[in-house]
Amino acid sequence: MIQRIQTYYLALTALLCGVSLCSTIGRFANETDIVASFTNFVFRPAEESSLDLIGPWPFGVLLIVILLLNVMSIFLFNYRMRQLRLVVFSTILLVGYLAAYAFIVWFYLQQLAHVHVAAHYELAHGAIYPLVCIILNMLAIRGIRKDEALVRSIDRIR
């Protein structure tokens, strides 16, 4: 288990999902100060205002599911095809997370414009981690496929 490179990729993916879960993923700012910021669970206006936006708590739930899938797939090293399916599903969820993230940023910008708040979006480091997780998952998929091909070739020799 520990000697396989995909285990390291999956562990790093789980770690990055956990860090992204706890960090700020974006800020809305104007020329002088921060208007609002949001994490995976909460949208925080900088001051009391007429902003009544929904909280992005589904992002947090989705990252928790992705984190659990990656941890489960680490321990399924004996069942490579099941492990492969879990990692592929995790990657699909990460792509969905990024698409939903882009949509919610657009939605929040529209809502801020609706209440006449001129703001632009600043990407935080917590939003970059899911993209890195997709790359790490792809590398893990490649490693799992190599292991499966090796086992099948050895099985064919017997």
Side-chain angles (χ1 to χ4, degrees), residues 75-86:
F75 294 108
L76 289 175
F77 61 93
N78 283 337
Y79 306 99
R80 284 170 298 282
M81 294 312 293
R82 189 173 297 157
Q83 184 183 34
L84 182 68
R85 286 186 201 113
L86 280 178

Side-chain angles (χ1 to χ4, degrees), residues 76-110:
L76 289 175
F77 61 93
N78 283 337
Y79 306 99
R80 284 170 298 282
M81 294 312 293
R82 189 173 297 157
Q83 184 183 34
L84 182 68
R85 286 186 201 113
L86 280 178
V87 176
V88 167
F89 186 62
S90 171
T91 305
I92 291 168
L93 287 178
L94 279 166
V95 170
Y97 172 87
L98 289 177
Y101 177 75
F103 174 76
I104 203 79
V105 166
W106 173 81
F107 177 74
Y108 284 166
L109 283 173
Q110 296 299 319

Side-chain angles (χ1 to χ4, degrees), residues 32-106:
T32 58
D33 59 346
I34 293 174
V35 175
S37 65
F38 70 99
T39 65
N40 283 306
F41 290 104
V42 180
F43 179 81
R44 288 187 215 113
E47 58 191 44
E48 291 299 321
S49 64
S50 61
L51 292 176
D52 186 27
L53 298 175
I54 58 171
W57 61 268
F59 288 138
V61 172
L62 192 58
L63 271 182
I64 289 172
V65 168
I66 292 167
L67 182 120
L68 291 175
L69 283 173
N70 282 324
V71 169
M72 279 178 28
S73 65
I74 289 172
F75 294 108
L76 289 175
F77 61 93
N78 283 337
Y79 306 99
R80 284 170 298 282
M81 294 312 293
R82 189 173 297 157
Q83 184 183 34
L84 182 68
R85 286 186 201 113
L86 280 178
V87 176
V88 167
F89 186 62
S90 171
T91 305
I92 291 168
L93 287 178
L94 279 166
V95 170
Y97 172 87
L98 289 177
Y101 177 75
F103 174 76
I104 203 79
V105 166
W106 173 81

